[in-house]
Amino acid sequence: MIKKYTRFFSILVMTGIISAGTMWLTSCDEGDPKGTPDTDNPSVTISSPSAGAIGVSGAILAVVGTITDEAGLASVSLTLGNGTVEVISEEFTTFSDPTSFSLNENYDIPSDVVLGNHTLTIVATDLTGNEGTATVEIVALPAFEDGKVTLVVDEFPADGAGEDFHMVGDFMGDETGAGDWTVSNLDYTLAEYEDSEGTVSYFISVKDANTTVTDGSIGGFKFVRGTDWPYVEKDENGKEAVNRSVAAGTDFEFMQIGSWADYNPIVANNSGVTVFDGTGVTSVEIKGNVKDALTTESAVVSAEYSVLDATEVEVASGTLTLEAPNGSGERNYSEDLDISTFALGVYSIVVTALDGNGNQGREDKTLSIIVFPCSETGLPAVDGAKTRFIINVPVLTDDIYITGNFPGSDIWGTIDPAYELTKISDGCYYIDIAVQADKTVQFFREPIAWAVGDWWRGQATQVAGSDSGASFSTTIASNGNTVKLYFPFWRQTP
């Protein structure tokens, strides 16, 4: 009996050992319902490059990262691409310590890398198939110069493609403004760049020449083809393009050109920008001319107008009748606009011209219908040989001047006490001055910080942020008449 018991006990012990061994072996097998499967993803951290870093074509990109997994790593893959083209691709499958892998590699960025946003992706897979991922967005740029802003024009019209174009603007001048906007200066010509997809872009690394600018900003500028203003850029609607600028602290910026002036019909919208008191005036004249583009074989085929309110809602529209071309190739138009039902407010009169190639030219003017806020009470009578200008502008403490071509004197941009306006009340000024018919005048302020040559920065205008100061064209010579003008904005703020 003793032997039988001992044998039975030995079998139990052996069975227990085998069972225990079996349990230990299967605890690492996720297929065994008695085990705990590994569901933890590997940890992936990218410490370099940082988000938004610049990858320069033809240069080195340093990639540093840490990947860990308690169960052990099977593979780590690294890719850099823009969703279409992979710039870098590598896979690691051998690890000295499969639970921790330090990535520290330098990669060559192709000299023809596609410019723009790229995603660096690291994917780690462990021995049980779990994946961990980390991504960082970087920007690919052509070779650039440190300490300068790199501008990349990655979209531009097919018209004029292949031709050189350059920058022109405030940044070219010194602290007094000397040398700025010199359109014939080709020192700022953009370089051509063709990427691996065959896409052509243009770029330049530039610094503001103004010695007072140290924050990396770039003052107002435009892109131009050729060396004359008829070849300046326009927006995508053929409208005057607003001056570009680059904010302080910017390392790079991608830009797009909508169209070129010489490939669009030329629109001169001379519709009166006049203030009305809302009484006795029921119509205004939409007038001006259109002209064929400088660089085209297609003539203007139509012209239309639309009137938009302050919320960009169209309140009126129509087709303009174009006269036969005059000796200068201009086709005049004139149309009466009924404003009897218009509410008080500020409107845009938009004139567009279309040629046979589908190119569009456009110019906007502002129609202000308000109760004029400036009083004439107490003002002396107007000399019969002069015109009285009464203007309403945003309240300032600066002196206000008139500039233009007057009988016997051309004083554009001249700060002369003889042409200073007299203050009536806050925001209201007047001057009595002799003018000729069909001449243009403008009004400006004189902040002390501006040089005489920069008078245009302080022009009164009807459009917020407008690059072109608003002007008034006289229709008759002085005869004791009064002209009231409303300017809700100034062109630039010091």
Side-chain angles (χ1 to χ4, degrees), residues 277 372 374-380 382 388 390 424 482 484:
D277 289 334
F372 196 63
C374 299
S375 172
E376 299 177 66
T377 303
L379 297 183
V382 185
R388 171 167 292 169
I390 303 178
I424 301 173
T482 296
K484 300 176 182 178

Side-chain angles (χ1 to χ4, degrees), residues 86-123:
E86 278 194 354
V87 178
I88 298 170
S89 179
E90 186 171 8
E91 186 170 7
F92 304 88
T93 57
T94 303
F95 311 98
S96 58
D97 178 3
T99 64
S100 180
F101 174 57
S102 294
L103 178 63
N104 191 339
E105 299 288 336
N106 291 329
Y107 294 97
D108 294 326
I109 299 178
S111 59
D112 60 351
V113 64
V114 178
L115 303 183
N117 294 329
H118 290 257
T119 303
L120 174 68
T121 304
I122 297 179
V123 179

Side-chain angles (χ1 to χ4, degrees), residues 198-429:
T199 301
V200 174
S201 302
Y202 292 85
F203 76 97
I204 186 172
S205 295
V206 65
K207 181 179 180 181
D208 199 317
N210 187 332
T211 56
T212 65
V213 176
T214 59
D215 56 13
S217 63
I218 300 295
F221 66 94
K222 281 187 169 74
F223 295 112
V224 184
R225 291 169 31 259
T227 56
D228 205 351
W229 289 115
Y231 305 95
V232 71
E233 64 173 310
K234 294 277 190 175
D235 73 7
E236 65 276 7
N237 297 313
K239 182 182 175 182
E240 184 73 19
V242 175
N243 274 0
R244 301 174 181 272
S245 62
V246 177
T250 302
D251 293 321
F252 65 89
E253 191 161 324
F254 286 82
M255 297 185 164
Q256 297 75 43
I257 296 175
S259 64
W260 298 108
D262 59 309
Y263 282 90
N264 293 279
I266 302 168
V267 177
N269 182 358
N270 301 320
S271 306
V273 183
T274 309
V275 175
F276 303 98
D277 289 334
T279 57
V281 179
T282 59
S283 67
V284 296
E285 184 182 20
I286 299 174
K287 62 179 180 178
N289 61 70
V290 300
K291 191 175 181 180
D292 296 344
L294 292 176
T295 309
T296 184
E297 296 179 357
S298 183
V300 172
V301 295
S302 65
E304 298 181 345
Y305 74 87
S306 60
V307 181
L308 310 178
D309 67 14
T311 62
E312 299 291 312
V313 173
E314 184 176 88
V315 296
S317 63
T319 299
L320 294 166
T321 301
L322 299 177
E323 299 177 1
N326 59 25
S328 301
E330 300 166 342
R331 302 178 65 184
N332 293 324
Y333 60 83
S334 177
E335 183 83 18
D336 285 334
L337 173 67
D338 182 1
I339 63 168
S340 60
T341 61
F342 284 22
L344 296 177
V346 179
Y347 300 82
S348 295
I349 300 176
V350 180
V351 174
T352 58
L354 195 70
D355 70 11
N357 288 331
N359 295 315
Q360 176 179 284
R362 168 176 167 172
E363 188 173 17
D364 301 4
K365 288 293 185 179
T366 300
L367 167 65
S368 299
I369 306 178
I370 66 170
V371 174
F372 196 63
C374 299
S375 172
E376 299 177 66
T377 303
L379 297 183
V382 185
D383 186 324
K386 294 184 177 181
T387 293
R388 171 167 292 169
F389 289 96
I390 303 178
I391 68 170
N392 177 231
V393 294
V395 176
L396 295 168
T397 58
D398 304 314
D399 296 330
I400 310 297
Y401 293 82
I402 189 172
T403 183
N405 184 273
F406 303 108
S409 61
D410 181 353
I411 62 158
W412 277 106
T414 300
I415 297 176
D416 188 320
Y419 299 96
E420 181 180 351
L421 277 69
T422 299
K423 182 177 179 179
I424 301 173
S425 59
D426 286 346
C428 296
Y429 299 81

